[in-house]
Amino acid sequence: MSRTARWRLGLGTSAVLLATAGLPAPAHAEDVTDYAITVDPAATGPTIDKTMYGVFFEDINRAADGGLYAELVQNRSFEYSTDDNKAYTPLTAWTVSGTARVLNDSGRLNDRNRAYLSLGAGSSVTNAGYNTGIAVREGETYDFSVWARAEAGGTLTVTLQDSGGTLATARRIAVAKNGWARYQAVLTATRTSTTGRLTVAADAATALDMVSLFPRDTYRHEPNGLRKDLAEKIAALHPGFVRFPGGCLVNTGSMQDYSEASGWQRKRSYQWKDTVGPVERRATNSNFWGYNQSYGLGYYEYFRFAEDVGAMPLPVVPALVTGCGQNKAVTDEALLQRHIQDTLDLVEFANGPASSKWGKVRAGMGHPKPFHLTHIEVGNEENLPNEFFSRFQRFRAALQAKYPYLKVISNSGPDDAGATFDTAWKLNRDAGVDMVDEHYYNSPQWFLQNNDRYDSYDRSGPKVFLGEYASQGNAFKNGLAEAAYMTGLERNADVVKLASYAPLFANEEYVQWSPDMVWFNNHASWNSADYEVQKLFMTNVGDRVVPSTATGTPSLNGPLTGAVGLSTWNTSAAYDDVRVTEADGRTLFSDDFSGDASRWTHTGTGAWTVQDGRFVQTDDAAENTMVQAGDPSWHDYDLHVEATKKSGKEGFLVAFGVKDTGNYYWWNIGGWNNTQTAVEQAVDGGKSTLVSKAGSVETGRAYDVDVKVRGRQVTLYLDGEEWGSFTDDKPAEPFRQVVTRDAKTGELIVKVVNAQAAAARTAIDLGGAEVASKAEVTTLAAAPDAVNTETATAVAPRTSTFTGVAAKFAYTFPANSVTFLRIRQR
């Protein structure tokens, strides 16, 4: 039976049942196979650096305070502000019994810790912690500390309780009369609870600051340490590097320091000098993602953690060009020079001798030996490539003049393609930059379609750091698509030198961005399906690629089909004169809205109404307000729409190839705060950008929008002028593989991704290699929509032994699976 016929009829019952169960079907020699993998063990592929895969930590989704940073008290220093979040006050997360005021005056603890609490005699304050409260475990020890000042002396009573009563024996602390001092007590939990509350009561008027409760059992038992379960999940990945602290934290907000001269600016870029030294003297800051960051987790802790997990530290510093929607270039020469010097000082802090100025600071914090910093990144996702690069060159020249061994990493903007990307890459290439950081978040389909992305990159040009990437979801189908893509990263290990999934952490109750690799709350954490994929690759890398080839999946690429749609995003817009005609001019659909809009189906948000012969979406705060009309089987047609922006932040969206609410194309004209125009493709709800250019629309002006669909090619016209075109004909190949060699164990590692609903019977030819008959097998297999949660782990690795290995053998890879075969060479 032919491969095609076999595909149509489906696999045998036993294979399907085993695949459904998530276990490998019996692997044995067969006359008929679906795929063939051929390995050439005599050929030499690229080496794979030990640092190939790492992690990127950014304080997003409460990843630091309330997350990796083990502090249990929220807003411990009473520094929360409306600068952080409009809903915040200095007493957010606190409740007061009696009298208490947060003051910002000369009585403060120090200039950089500006707010403190004045607690009246007989009064108390209670902290709610994060999520449902302060989580404690029976029998475990917790270290309480507070800075306090009482003019006449007094006593503090510290209690820990929940609605069920006492959680630890209360502690009484005598406060002396001699000004600010740090006081400590130890609490031992008598019960397990996730809803604890910490109360500090004063019998006399007392000033409080830095109210803290730390679990004794932190990662590596550091007193200002990391939450153990979260840190251990990172350590289990054996990351080659840790990139920190951002992300958008680095290149947004003011570039000024936190001082009287700058007006104590709160909305600042993340600057490393704010984050070292004693925690009570570290500055506070507004986090770009809508909350406060205390900087208890700072540069020293990042360096220590990277060292503890055996990873290369990779810090990112501001380039003095803002991004993440702000897009401004700082022109203050003195400020630029100060940041360049700060970056030079950072290298000294990391690598300098303990006798140097900043090496002495490091040593004073407990680490006299250097951290061996070798890579540093300047900037993050700047949308102004020329302005960014002129400043990047200044940083690079200064750093390499003083530290010639240092690799200084640039970036290519926020997208995988487009004008910014092309301009940035040309600048980087022409200047001979060491490495360029690429970022993209796309649909699973994009990852399946673009396994060959780096095949054509210049082998002698700058290397690639894939610093942020993910498909849009945390189901196993997302992990499968990412796994398929990672085989392409490894195959191109001579170009792609570093790669990290992003974001790393998300507190389930404080989510600004999803998907994420690890999810948690105040007492538990769990691995996403994507984490399991990353871990499998990161702990089975190998040292060198062994060249191999595989047959592909036959597919028939028919014409692009679908209905049409109209939408808006944070905009009110009016549409008129919608016409869909076949290639021969025959009308398929026409609506001038002289009547009602009964032929349109509203599938999104917002409010649509017919006004004065136009179809108007009136809510300029609504997102994705899609209405659609027509037949999903339409193909080879012309779409015409007249569109007018009425108000709001962006432009308008014209959709075509609409199959359902999660699968369509749309032309996003004046998107991204009316700065970009792009065609996006949605597949199962995840969007990818196919073509993008800078562009905006004018309010009140009518635009003629035309879309010409022929086969799988689409041409777009704005006001009669061709704007651009694309051809969507790349196959989303579900069967991908790569083979590497582990020099330490002498094993070939055959890595196969089968991202389809049928098992894949595969003939494997090891090119005459002499191998042992047994292979260690690790398999991830689950339903495509399977998701890991706090209470259920649907996606987890399973190990087994396969005894049918030979120079040529057959193996059946389960449906929807990632399989690693470790085969020992003799």
Side-chain angles (χ1 to χ4, degrees):
M1 184 179 292
S2 71
R3 164 77 177 111
T4 304
R6 185 76 180 176
W7 181 259
R8 288 173 179 164
L9 292 175
L11 294 167
T13 303
S14 61
V16 172
L17 288 174
L18 283 159
T20 302
L23 298 173
H28 50 81
E30 296 190 40
D31 294 333
V32 179
T33 54
D34 305 310
Y35 295 92
I37 295 174
T38 303
V39 183
D40 186 358
T44 301
T47 58
I48 305 175
D49 295 345
K50 292 180 180 179
T51 53
M52 172 76 176
Y53 294 122
V55 295
F56 166 45
F57 181 91
E58 178 176 9
D59 187 0
I60 184 174
N61 309 312
R62 287 279 191 190
D65 294 333
L68 184 62
Y69 186 50
E71 174 66 76
L72 298 176
V73 175
Q74 184 178 175
N75 190 16
R76 68 182 178 186
S77 193
F78 310 101
E79 297 284 351
Y80 277 26
S81 162
T82 53
D83 284 337
D84 310 323
N85 187 297
K86 290 181 180 179
Y88 280 2
T89 75
L91 283 170
T92 292
W94 294 94
T95 54
V96 175
S97 176
T99 60
R101 293 182 300 154
V102 175
L103 302 178
N104 183 345
D105 60 23
S106 59
R108 62 178 66 90
L109 181 59
N110 60 68
D111 279 349
R112 291 166 68 80
N113 191 337
R114 301 189 62 73
Y116 67 97
L117 183 75
S118 175
L119 189 61
S123 300
S124 66
V125 285
T126 299
N127 191 265
Y130 297 93
N131 300 89
T132 56
I134 293 174
V136 295
R137 288 188 174 90
E138 182 180 355
E140 293 198 1
T141 301
Y142 298 86
D143 291 315
F144 171 84
S145 65
V146 64
W147 283 81
R149 172 173 53 79
E151 297 302 329
T155 301
L156 298 178
T157 302
V158 182
T159 57
L160 187 62
Q161 55 192 4
D162 63 9
S163 59
T166 299
L167 291 171
T169 302
R171 301 297 182 195
R172 291 170 62 82
I173 299 172
V175 178
K177 301 178 183 180
N178 56 352
W180 284 105
R182 186 170 183 260
Y183 299 91
Q184 298 174 270
V186 175
L187 302 176
T188 301
T190 55
R191 288 188 295 112
T192 295
S193 176
T194 62
T195 58
R197 298 291 187 269
L198 178 75
T199 299
V200 181
D203 67 351
T206 307
L208 303 178
D209 207 343
M210 299 295 292
V211 183
S212 174
L213 187 68
F214 250 89
R216 179 77 57 85
D217 190 20
T218 59
Y219 184 73
R220 299 293 176 99
H221 304 288
E222 294 287 343
N224 187 50
L226 306 181
R227 180 171 148 175
K228 190 173 183 180
D229 62 325
L230 297 183
E232 286 179 342
K233 287 186 183 301
I234 302 175
L237 296 170
H238 299 291
F241 65 88
V242 177
R243 177 177 180 249
F244 62 90
C248 288
L249 304 187
V250 168
N251 67 336
T252 54
S254 166
M255 298 294 165
Q256 299 289 342
D257 61 2
Y258 190 58
S259 67
E260 184 177 9
S262 66
W264 306 106
Q265 292 195 32
R266 290 288 293 265
K267 295 186 176 182
R268 310 184 312 283
S269 63
Y270 194 111
Q271 299 173 44
W272 79 270
K273 289 181 179 177
D274 288 341
T275 77
V276 297
V279 291
E280 69 273 8
R281 292 186 176 274
R282 298 184 190 181
T284 188
N285 202 3
S286 171
N287 184 295
F288 173 80
W289 297 107
Y291 50 90
N292 177 271
Q293 51 190 349
S294 71
Y295 288 147
L297 174 57
Y299 257 71
Y300 177 77
E301 288 75 26
Y302 285 127
F303 277 122
R304 282 294 302 264
F305 181 58
E307 181 179 67
D308 286 343
V309 300
M312 175 181 79
L314 204 167
V316 187
V317 298
L320 280 290
V321 178
T322 58
C324 301
Q326 297 182 359
N327 302 337
K328 293 181 180 179
V330 173
T331 57
D332 184 332
E333 176 62 23
L335 188 56
L336 175 61
Q337 287 289 354
R338 194 267 288 174
H339 275 266
I340 291 172
Q341 185 60 51
D342 280 356
T343 307
L344 293 169
D345 292 344
L346 171 60
V347 182
E348 183 175 284
F349 174 80
N351 293 351
S355 58
S356 65
K357 177 181 176 180
W358 289 101
K360 184 177 181 180
V361 173
R362 181 194 70 238
M365 296 182 72
H367 201 283
K369 293 182 179 180
F371 284 119
H372 306 295
L373 177 66
T374 58
H375 293 63
I376 194 165
E377 184 172 355
V378 178
N380 171 74
E381 292 188 9
E382 281 74 24
N383 241 325
L384 303 173
N386 291 297
E387 292 86 341
F388 158 72
F389 201 73
S390 67
R391 289 156 181 78
F392 170 83
Q393 288 281 62
R394 301 273 299 276
F395 279 86
R396 181 192 186 204
L399 285 163
Q400 294 191 331
K402 189 169 184 179
Y403 303 105
Y405 61 84
L406 200 66
K407 289 191 179 297
V408 185
I409 302 172
S410 181
N411 75 81
S412 59
D415 301 306
D416 62 89
T420 296
F421 179 88
D422 292 340
T423 300
W425 254 106
K426 184 178 188 309
L427 291 166
N428 286 308
R429 191 179 298 111
D430 290 348
V433 167
D434 290 323
M435 191 175 293
V436 178
D437 188 0
E438 293 189 354
H439 295 178
Y440 38 83
Y441 298 90
N442 290 323
S443 69
Q445 168 124 339
W446 185 94
F447 285 95
L448 293 175
Q449 287 177 320
N450 286 278
N451 180 274
D452 63 349
R453 175 179 176 88
Y454 296 108
D455 291 1
S456 59
Y457 270 50
D458 181 0
R459 302 347 250 184
S460 62
K463 303 306 180 184
V464 172
F465 172 21
L466 181 49
E468 297 183 34
Y469 74 99
S471 71
Q472 293 155 340
N474 271 147
F476 188 50
K477 63 187 175 186
N478 301 99
L480 283 170
E482 291 152 7
Y485 194 71
M486 292 171 81
T487 66
L489 299 183
E490 291 192 6
R491 188 177 64 252
N492 290 284
D494 56 329
V495 169
V496 182
K497 307 305 286 184
L498 306 169
S500 49
Y501 179 101
L504 178 58
F505 285 128
N507 185 319
E508 65 176 348
E509 292 185 16
Y510 305 93
V511 181
Q512 291 86 39
W513 185 283
S514 183
D516 303 283
M517 194 153 71
V518 176
W519 291 79
F520 66 91
N521 51 37
N522 66 350
H523 63 279
S525 56
W526 54 99
N527 304 331
S528 68
D530 315 74
Y531 175 97
E532 296 297 349
V533 165
Q534 293 291 324
K535 184 179 179 183
L536 187 57
F537 275 84
M538 292 170 77
T539 55
N540 293 276
V541 182
D543 306 281
R544 184 179 291 277
V545 175
V546 180
S548 62
T549 58
T551 54
T553 305
S555 62
L556 296 175
N557 236 358
L560 191 154
T561 61
V564 298
L566 309 171
S567 189
T568 60
W569 198 286
N570 288 328
T571 305
S572 172
Y575 295 95
D576 199 3
D577 192 21
V578 179
R579 298 191 307 272
V580 182
T581 56
E582 287 192 304
D584 61 6
R586 185 172 65 90
T587 299
L588 293 171
F589 180 88
S590 178
D591 199 338
D592 63 2
F593 303 105
S594 56
D596 58 25
S598 57
R599 289 188 290 169
W600 295 85
T601 301
H602 187 188
T603 59
T605 63
W608 290 86
T609 182
V610 175
Q611 297 178 6
D612 301 323
R614 297 191 299 176
F615 201 17
V616 182
Q617 197 292 113
T618 57
D619 185 351
D620 63 11
E623 298 178 348
N624 195 4
T625 65
M626 180 88 82
V627 291
Q628 60 190 68
D631 189 334
S633 68
W634 281 348
H635 62 88
D636 296 290
Y637 59 80
D638 296 303
L639 166 63
H640 171 81
V641 179
E642 182 185 284
T644 306
K645 174 182 176 178
K646 294 175 68 66
S647 64
K649 296 179 180 179
E650 303 205 352
F652 29 81
L653 298 145
V654 175
F656 53 96
V658 180
K659 291 182 172 57
D660 53 46
T661 56
N663 295 275
Y664 55 85
Y665 304 80
W666 67 18
W667 191 6
N668 188 347
I669 304 172
W672 295 271
N673 289 322
N674 204 16
T675 62
Q676 296 282 324
T677 295
V679 177
E680 297 177 281
Q681 180 184 17
V683 178
D684 294 334
K687 289 197 289 291
S688 301
T689 300
L690 302 182
V691 58
S692 175
K693 299 179 183 179
S696 59
V697 300
E698 300 173 22
T699 301
R701 176 184 163 189
Y703 291 82
D704 285 320
V705 180
D706 291 276
V707 181
K708 179 180 179 179
V709 181
R710 295 293 185 272
R712 300 199 68 80
Q713 181 172 351
V714 178
T715 309
L716 306 111
Y717 302 86
L718 194 60
D719 286 339
E721 298 289 331
E722 183 175 332
W723 176 86
S725 64
F726 68 93
T727 303
D728 182 21
D729 61 356
K730 293 191 74 172
E733 173 60 65
F735 187 86
R736 297 290 189 185
Q737 50 72 228
V738 71
V739 181
T740 64
R741 178 180 285 114
D742 187 331
K744 185 176 181 180
T745 64
E747 292 171 314
L748 294 175
I749 311 174
V750 180
K751 312 174 187 185
V752 177
V753 181
N754 181 28
Q756 58 190 334
R761 301 173 307 159
T762 306
I764 301 175
D765 183 347
L766 297 179
E770 294 187 9
V771 293
S773 60
K774 292 183 179 180
E776 294 180 5
V777 184
T778 305
T779 306
L780 288 171
D785 292 326
V787 175
N788 289 346
T789 66
E790 180 184 354
T791 57
T793 305
V795 182
R798 297 172 183 173
T799 58
S800 60
T801 301
F802 174 62
T803 58
V805 179
K808 293 183 179 181
F809 67 101
Y811 194 92
T812 299
F813 295 96
N816 301 308
S817 68
V818 184
T819 305
F820 280 26
L821 299 167
R822 296 191 69 109
I823 302 169
R824 187 176 299 278
Q825 289 185 271
R826 290 177 175 171

